Amino acid sequence: MYYTCTDTPAGILLFISDGTVVNGIHWKVFKRTPGVAKDWEENRTIFKEVLDQFDEYFAGQRQTFTFAYSFQGTTFQKAVWKELEKIPYGAYSSYQAIANAIGKPKAVRAVGTAVGSNPLSIVIPCHRVLTSSIKLGGYAGGIKSKTYLLKREGILFRD
């Protein structure tokens, strides 16, 4: 496996790849961010396209990511993450709306847990999920990071 870290305007991210696709983009501050294994190789070259796209995103020149990625999770998590992928730049959804969309309207808390387990932060836009009252809720990168990303995309929310 390969990895690199980069400092973004929203915080430090850890990128993980098997050399073919990106397998993880995690906030360094998150308690469940995977640790770098001893046999992983730090290699920024493998992530050039990814880092370039992130630079474009933070510069306001990109709204979607086009590099290859893959994620592993339970069937439920994958359903939630696929629903997150449908939330367009500049828009938001709620935990309840996602639960409804995947046919599990009573699983709002489980949806929240799956959102919090998102292995590809920003690319799978979990930052675009707000509470039903349009408040922030939690975020793996911290509330300051989520606030920054939402403002970057022009998404209005309640403090």
Side-chain angles (χ1 to χ4, degrees), residues 47-58:
F47 296 97
K48 181 179 180 350
E49 177 185 5
V50 176
L51 295 172
D52 286 349
Q53 287 189 28
F54 267 77
D55 287 345
E56 292 166 2
Y57 170 81
F58 284 110

Side-chain angles (χ1 to χ4, degrees), residues 3-4 42-51:
Y3 77 97
T4 195
E42 185 169 9
N43 186 324
R44 286 188 77 81
T45 304
I46 286 177
F47 296 97
K48 181 179 180 350
E49 177 185 5
V50 176
L51 295 172

